Amino acid sequence: MSNSLQYIFGGPKAWDSGLWTASDDRVRGGSSISHLYTHPTKAKFYGHLDTKTLGGAGFASQRTVGDLALDLSCTEGIKLSLGWESSDQTFTLNVKDTIPGKRKDGRDEAGVSWEYDFKAPENGGEIFMKWNEFKATYRGREVEDPEPLKLNDIKRISLMARSFFDKQDGDFKLYVNWIAAVKKDDNDSDDDGDLKKHALEQRSEPRPVWKRLFCGLL
């Protein structure tokens, strides 16, 4: 089955660092820091993940600015194309269908994120993340019985490096060629469904005149 891609960043849509901003644990008094260097055809997400300042916790991320307002309801998930020489930490791709409000001190309020953890292939490659594999989390912890992700209104995407509660730290880097949504294949259909459709079509066809005249005999 071949699927077409709906490019979000990279590919035919040039990367632009102005569409991204840092969201690091410094807003909570931490010392982690992230950057996003962009070239029209690729991006480098890099920085330093610190766990000492916050006693084992820590995160560094780059998120999109504003409201993306992406309708991905006709897609199966997200695909990343990654370059080689990325570090061996576990990274996280986050998507949000709501944008948190602001606190009195100007910081973003916490909100539910849908997350997928991954490691970059050693020599680069593609990673396909199906929507049903994303986990809803709040402040890094999984949410039980969350509301379904609103795929018709994806508002924010972010790339993150985090400590997983003191399991990783230090310098990190991730090379990304593009981020795209994988469109559903309209040609996919099950045989049973096709048979039912064919039977209904046959049933709806008008009977020949001679059969209607002799319906009591045939």
Side-chain angles (χ1 to χ4, degrees):
M1 178 182 69
S2 61
N3 291 304
S4 54
L5 299 175
Q6 179 179 336
Y7 288 94
I8 303 171
F9 296 102
K13 293 188 175 181
W15 285 91
D16 181 355
S17 59
L19 301 178
W20 297 76
T21 188
S23 180
D24 305 325
D25 62 20
R26 291 170 179 251
V27 298
R28 299 180 188 171
S31 301
S32 300
I33 189 169
S34 70
H35 309 277
L36 189 74
Y37 168 79
T38 61
H39 179 274
T41 60
K42 58 187 175 182
K44 177 185 178 183
F45 169 53
Y46 67 102
H48 182 81
L49 182 61
D50 174 82
T51 58
K52 295 182 176 63
T53 304
L54 296 178
F59 67 89
S61 70
Q62 289 280 321
R63 65 165 177 81
T64 54
V65 298
D67 183 353
L68 293 176
L70 293 173
D71 183 357
L72 303 182
S73 57
C74 292
T75 67
E76 298 179 354
I78 295 288
K79 182 174 282 191
L80 298 185
S81 173
L82 303 175
W84 63 291
E85 288 193 338
S86 296
S87 56
D88 63 357
Q89 284 104 331
T90 296
F91 295 92
T92 303
L93 179 80
N94 298 312
V95 297
K96 287 180 177 287
D97 57 10
T98 58
I99 295 180
K102 294 287 186 180
R103 297 173 18 160
K104 291 182 179 180
D105 58 7
R107 295 186 293 172
D108 287 342
E109 294 180 346
V112 174
S113 294
W114 290 80
E115 304 180 346
Y116 186 102
D117 300 326
F118 66 94
K119 283 199 169 195
E122 183 177 355
N123 297 315
E126 296 179 358
I127 297 178
F128 179 32
M129 310 169 178
K130 296 182 179 180
W131 290 125
N132 61 9
E133 296 172 336
F134 280 73
K135 297 182 300 183
T137 64
Y138 180 80
R139 290 189 181 276
R141 299 186 183 277
E142 192 165 353
V143 176
E144 295 183 5
D145 299 321
E147 293 291 327
L149 176 62
K150 299 174 185 175
L151 293 175
N152 64 336
D153 192 16
I154 298 299
K155 296 181 176 296
R156 182 173 289 176
I157 294 175
S158 66
L159 293 167
M160 175 185 284
R162 59 181 174 181
S163 68
F164 291 100
F165 303 104
D166 213 15
K167 291 184 179 179
Q168 62 180 17
D169 61 4
D171 293 340
F172 64 86
K173 57 182 177 179
L174 179 70
Y175 294 93
V176 186
N177 297 321
W178 45 257
I179 301 174
V182 180
K183 296 179 182 179
K184 293 179 181 178
D185 191 339
D186 293 334
N187 294 324
D188 280 355
S189 59
D190 59 273
D191 293 338
D192 185 54
D194 288 344
L195 288 173
K196 289 180 180 178
K197 180 180 178 182
H198 181 62
L200 288 172
E201 289 175 347
Q202 285 188 323
R203 191 180 304 170
S204 63
E205 291 177 357
R207 301 177 73 187
V209 175
W210 67 271
K211 281 194 175 183
R212 280 181 280 164
L213 291 174
F214 296 97
C215 60
L217 301 175
L218 297 174

Short mmCIF file of all heavy atoms in Angstrom, two decimals, residues 146-170:
data_model
loop_
_atom_site.label_atom_id
_atom_site.label_comp_id
_atom_site.label_asym_id
_atom_site.label_seq_id
_atom_site.Cartn_x
_atom_site.Cartn_y
_atom_site.Cartn_z
N PRO A 146 -8.69 9.70 28.50
CA PRO A 146 -8.70 11.07 27.98
C PRO A 146 -9.76 11.24 26.90
O PRO A 146 -10.24 10.27 26.31
CB PRO A 146 -7.29 11.20 27.37
CG PRO A 146 -6.98 9.81 26.91
CD PRO A 146 -7.58 8.90 27.95
N GLU A 147 -10.12 12.49 26.65
CA GLU A 147 -10.97 12.79 25.50
C GLU A 147 -10.17 12.48 24.23
O GLU A 147 -8.96 12.65 24.19
CB GLU A 147 -11.36 14.27 25.51
CG GLU A 147 -12.28 14.68 26.65
CD GLU A 147 -13.66 14.08 26.50
OE1 GLU A 147 -14.12 13.91 25.35
OE2 GLU A 147 -14.29 13.77 27.53
N PRO A 148 -10.83 11.99 23.17
CA PRO A 148 -10.11 11.67 21.93
C PRO A 148 -9.39 12.90 21.37
O PRO A 148 -9.86 14.03 21.51
CB PRO A 148 -11.21 11.19 20.98
CG PRO A 148 -12.34 10.77 21.88
CD PRO A 148 -12.27 11.68 23.06
N LEU A 149 -8.25 12.66 20.75
CA LEU A 149 -7.51 13.73 20.10
C LEU A 149 -8.32 14.26 18.93
O LEU A 149 -8.80 13.50 18.09
CB LEU A 149 -6.16 13.19 19.62
CG LEU A 149 -5.27 14.15 18.83
CD1 LEU A 149 -4.87 15.35 19.68
CD2 LEU A 149 -4.03 13.41 18.33
N LYS A 150 -8.48 15.58 18.86
CA LYS A 150 -9.25 16.20 17.78
C LYS A 150 -8.34 16.37 16.56
O LYS A 150 -7.68 17.40 16.39
CB LYS A 150 -9.79 17.55 18.23
CG LYS A 150 -10.74 17.46 19.42
CD LYS A 150 -11.11 18.85 19.92
CE LYS A 150 -11.96 18.77 21.17
NZ LYS A 150 -12.24 20.12 21.74
N LEU A 151 -8.34 15.36 15.71
CA LEU A 151 -7.45 15.38 14.55
C LEU A 151 -7.82 16.45 13.54
O LEU A 151 -7.00 16.82 12.70
CB LEU A 151 -7.45 14.00 13.88
CG LEU A 151 -6.83 12.86 14.70
CD1 LEU A 151 -7.00 11.54 13.97
CD2 LEU A 151 -5.35 13.14 14.96
N ASN A 152 -9.04 16.94 13.60
CA ASN A 152 -9.46 17.96 12.64
C ASN A 152 -9.03 19.37 13.06
O ASN A 152 -9.32 20.34 12.37
CB ASN A 152 -10.98 17.93 12.45
CG ASN A 152 -11.73 18.28 13.72
OD1 ASN A 152 -11.21 18.12 14.82
ND2 ASN A 152 -12.96 18.74 13.58
N ASP A 153 -8.33 19.47 14.20
CA ASP A 153 -7.90 20.79 14.66
C ASP A 153 -6.63 20.68 15.51
O ASP A 153 -6.65 20.96 16.70
CB ASP A 153 -9.02 21.46 15.46
CG ASP A 153 -8.75 22.94 15.72
OD1 ASP A 153 -7.87 23.51 15.05
OD2 ASP A 153 -9.43 23.52 16.60
N ILE A 154 -5.54 20.25 14.88
CA ILE A 154 -4.25 20.17 15.58
C ILE A 154 -3.66 21.57 15.64
O ILE A 154 -3.42 22.21 14.62
CB ILE A 154 -3.29 19.20 14.86
CG1 ILE A 154 -3.87 17.79 14.83
CG2 ILE A 154 -1.92 19.23 15.53
CD1 ILE A 154 -4.12 17.19 16.20
N LYS A 155 -3.43 22.04 16.85
CA LYS A 155 -3.03 23.43 17.04
C LYS A 155 -1.53 23.62 17.25
O LYS A 155 -0.99 24.69 16.97
CB LYS A 155 -3.79 24.02 18.23
CG LYS A 155 -5.30 24.07 18.02
CD LYS A 155 -6.00 24.68 19.21
CE LYS A 155 -7.50 24.83 18.96
NZ LYS A 155 -7.80 25.76 17.85
N ARG A 156 -0.85 22.61 17.77
CA ARG A 156 0.55 22.80 18.13
C ARG A 156 1.32 21.49 17.99
O ARG A 156 0.78 20.42 18.26
CB ARG A 156 0.65 23.32 19.57
CG ARG A 156 2.04 23.60 20.05
CD ARG A 156 2.01 24.29 21.43
NE ARG A 156 1.53 25.67 21.32
CZ ARG A 156 1.33 26.48 22.36
NH1 ARG A 156 1.55 26.02 23.59
NH2 ARG A 156 0.93 27.71 22.17
N ILE A 157 2.57 21.59 17.56
CA ILE A 157 3.49 20.46 17.46
C ILE A 157 4.79 20.86 18.16
O ILE A 157 5.22 22.01 18.05
CB ILE A 157 3.77 20.08 15.99
CG1 ILE A 157 2.49 19.56 15.32
CG2 ILE A 157 4.87 19.03 15.89
CD1 ILE A 157 2.64 19.28 13.84
N SER A 158 5.41 19.92 18.86
CA SER A 158 6.69 20.23 19.49
C SER A 158 7.62 19.03 19.47
O SER A 158 7.17 17.88 19.43
CB SER A 158 6.49 20.72 20.93
OG SER A 158 5.99 19.69 21.75
N LEU A 159 8.91 19.32 19.49
CA LEU A 159 9.97 18.32 19.63
C LEU A 159 10.58 18.50 21.01
O LEU A 159 10.86 19.64 21.42
CB LEU A 159 11.04 18.51 18.56
CG LEU A 159 10.61 18.25 17.11
CD1 LEU A 159 11.67 18.78 16.15
CD2 LEU A 159 10.39 16.76 16.89
N MET A 160 10.78 17.39 21.72
CA MET A 160 11.22 17.50 23.11
C MET A 160 12.31 16.48 23.45
O MET A 160 12.30 15.36 22.95
CB MET A 160 10.03 17.29 24.06
CG MET A 160 10.38 17.24 25.54
SD MET A 160 8.95 16.84 26.59
CE MET A 160 8.09 18.40 26.57
N ALA A 161 13.23 16.92 24.30
CA ALA A 161 14.16 16.01 24.99
C ALA A 161 13.86 16.17 26.47
O ALA A 161 13.79 17.30 26.98
CB ALA A 161 15.60 16.39 24.69
N ARG A 162 13.64 15.07 27.17
CA ARG A 162 13.31 15.16 28.60
C ARG A 162 14.02 14.07 29.38
O ARG A 162 14.51 13.09 28.82
CB ARG A 162 11.81 15.07 28.81
CG ARG A 162 11.17 13.80 28.29
CD ARG A 162 9.69 13.82 28.53
NE ARG A 162 9.02 12.68 27.92
CZ ARG A 162 7.72 12.47 27.96
NH1 ARG A 162 6.93 13.33 28.58
NH2 ARG A 162 7.18 11.42 27.39
N SER A 163 14.05 14.24 30.68
CA SER A 163 14.85 13.36 31.53
C SER A 163 14.21 12.01 31.80
O SER A 163 14.91 11.07 32.17
CB SER A 163 15.11 14.05 32.87
OG SER A 163 13.90 14.17 33.62
N PHE A 164 12.89 11.90 31.60
CA PHE A 164 12.16 10.69 32.02
C PHE A 164 12.48 10.38 33.48
O PHE A 164 12.77 9.26 33.85
CB PHE A 164 12.50 9.50 31.12
CG PHE A 164 11.97 9.63 29.72
CD1 PHE A 164 12.82 10.04 28.70
CD2 PHE A 164 10.65 9.38 29.41
CE1 PHE A 164 12.35 10.18 27.39
CE2 PHE A 164 10.17 9.52 28.12
CZ PHE A 164 11.02 9.92 27.10
N PHE A 165 12.44 11.46 34.29
CA PHE A 165 12.70 11.37 35.73
C PHE A 165 14.09 10.79 36.00
O PHE A 165 14.25 9.72 36.58
CB PHE A 165 11.59 10.58 36.42
CG PHE A 165 10.23 11.17 36.20
CD1 PHE A 165 9.34 10.59 35.30
CD2 PHE A 165 9.83 12.34 36.84
CE1 PHE A 165 8.09 11.14 35.06
CE2 PHE A 165 8.58 12.90 36.61
CZ PHE A 165 7.71 12.30 35.72
N ASP A 166 15.10 11.53 35.51
CA ASP A 166 16.52 11.29 35.78
C ASP A 166 17.09 10.08 35.05
O ASP A 166 18.11 9.52 35.47
CB ASP A 166 16.78 11.15 37.28
CG ASP A 166 18.16 11.69 37.67
OD1 ASP A 166 18.75 12.42 36.86
OD2 ASP A 166 18.63 11.38 38.77
N LYS A 167 16.50 9.68 33.92
CA LYS A 167 17.03 8.55 33.16
C LYS A 167 17.98 9.00 32.05
O LYS A 167 18.73 8.18 31.51
CB LYS A 167 15.89 7.72 32.57
CG LYS A 167 15.09 6.96 33.62
CD LYS A 167 14.03 6.09 32.98
CE LYS A 167 13.26 5.31 34.04
NZ LYS A 167 12.18 4.46 33.43
N GLN A 168 17.94 10.28 31.66
CA GLN A 168 18.87 10.77 30.65
C GLN A 168 19.10 12.27 30.84
O GLN A 168 18.23 12.98 31.36
CB GLN A 168 18.36 10.48 29.23
CG GLN A 168 17.05 11.12 28.86
CD GLN A 168 16.62 10.78 27.43
OE1 GLN A 168 17.11 9.84 26.81
NE2 GLN A 168 15.70 11.56 26.89
N ASP A 169 20.28 12.73 30.43
CA ASP A 169 20.60 14.15 30.53
C ASP A 169 21.75 14.45 29.57
O ASP A 169 22.16 13.59 28.79
CB ASP A 169 20.96 14.54 31.97
CG ASP A 169 22.19 13.78 32.49
OD1 ASP A 169 22.80 13.01 31.71
OD2 ASP A 169 22.54 13.96 33.67
N GLY A 170 22.26 15.68 29.61
CA GLY A 170 23.41 16.06 28.80
C GLY A 170 23.04 16.69 27.47
O GLY A 170 21.88 16.99 27.18
#
